[in-house]
Each structure stands twice: as structure tokens, then as C-alpha cells.
Amino acid sequence: MTASTEARETALVAAQAAADKLATDVSIVDVSDRLAITDAFVLASAPNERQVQAIVDEVEDRLRQQGIKPVRREGVAEARWVLLDFVDVVVHVQHAEERAYYALERLWKDCPTIPFVDRDAARHAAGEDTGGRPQDPTSR
């Protein structure tokens, strides 16, 4: 069994929201074969507590716009590792030090990942500016 279409879509929205707030190492792990309580984990990192909180706020806002609210929030006060439980999707936003120490990807390495590409990073890599035109590297 793989993650439901709804869970995949929710995870992708959450991942993009995190990336839009400059989260690093954003990934999605399909844990549906291993866990009965959720379909996917979204993992994201930030260099400091303030950035962790900004990412958490953006993920919650973006999903709330889609009518999806977390049923549980943990770690918000410390902002070192915040867990947002959206039932089918659990979002983990971690301080970079916690991400390295706990290495959730290693714990779930037997699970498939759901491909995620930050749309803004993809546009930048393609040499496009916000207007969709190729950028001239000599213009400033």
C-alpha cells in the first residue's frame, strides 16, 4: 500500500510551504506500509529556532487555506523540533542540529520517498526570473 492521493497532495503542499520559508533538506517519506496511523512524513530543517517557527507558521497557514488543520502540535514552545500532525501527514520541522542527530531519514530508509522539487529552486536552476524569461547573468 502507498500513501493516498490526498496524503501525497497534502504532503506536497506542506513541503512547498516549508521550502517557500527557506527550509533546507525538505523531503517526503511514504511511511504508509510501516505505520497504520499516518501515510507520510514531511521533513524540513532550519538553522535556528526563529526560522523553525516561521516554517511551521507557513505550513499551517497554507494547509489551513485548503481546509486542513493540525490535530496535534508538539514542540512549538522550544521550536527545536516541531511536529504538526495532520492525520494522514505528519510534518517534522527540525533545527538542523536535531535533524542531524536524530536522522529520521536513516530510521525510515526502507520506506520510499515521494518526489518533491521546490518550484522556485527549479525555476532558478532553469535560469528564469519571476517573469518567466531567461535571465541574463550580465544584467544587474
Side-chain angles (χ1 to χ4, degrees):
M1 180 177 203
T2 60
S4 69
T5 301
E6 183 178 317
R8 292 171 72 88
E9 290 171 2
T10 299
L12 288 167
V13 169
Q16 188 60 57
D20 288 349
K21 282 297 180 179
L22 306 179
T24 56
D25 300 323
V26 179
S27 63
I28 306 171
V29 181
D30 182 341
V31 295
S32 59
D33 281 343
R34 304 275 188 230
L35 291 176
I37 58 173
T38 194
D39 281 356
F41 285 164
V42 175
L43 308 173
S45 301
N48 58 57
E49 291 84 353
R50 187 177 200 176
Q51 191 68 30
V52 167
Q53 191 59 54
I55 293 164
V56 166
D57 291 345
E58 185 66 19
V59 169
E60 284 188 301
D61 289 346
R62 195 83 54 92
L63 289 177
R64 192 170 282 120
Q65 290 171 7
Q66 305 227 341
I68 304 167
K69 296 178 184 176
V71 296
R72 193 173 86 221
R73 301 166 79 224
E74 293 184 15
V76 177
E78 299 84 17
R80 300 277 304 171
W81 180 349
V82 178
L83 180 145
L84 300 172
D85 185 348
F86 295 97
V87 182
D88 290 341
V89 174
V90 175
V91 178
H92 298 268
V93 182
Q94 297 175 297
H95 189 285
E97 292 171 359
E98 270 70 10
R99 180 84 179 258
Y101 183 80
Y102 290 102
L104 293 179
E105 291 93 345
R106 189 183 75 235
L107 294 173
W108 298 99
K109 68 182 175 189
D110 294 338
C111 295
T113 59
I114 296 171
F116 167 72
V117 176
D118 176 5
R119 68 174 172 252
D120 292 334
R123 274 191 229 136
H124 180 69
E128 297 177 359
D129 64 12
T130 56
R133 297 178 308 269
Q135 288 182 328
D136 178 1
T138 60
S139 68
R140 296 210 181 236

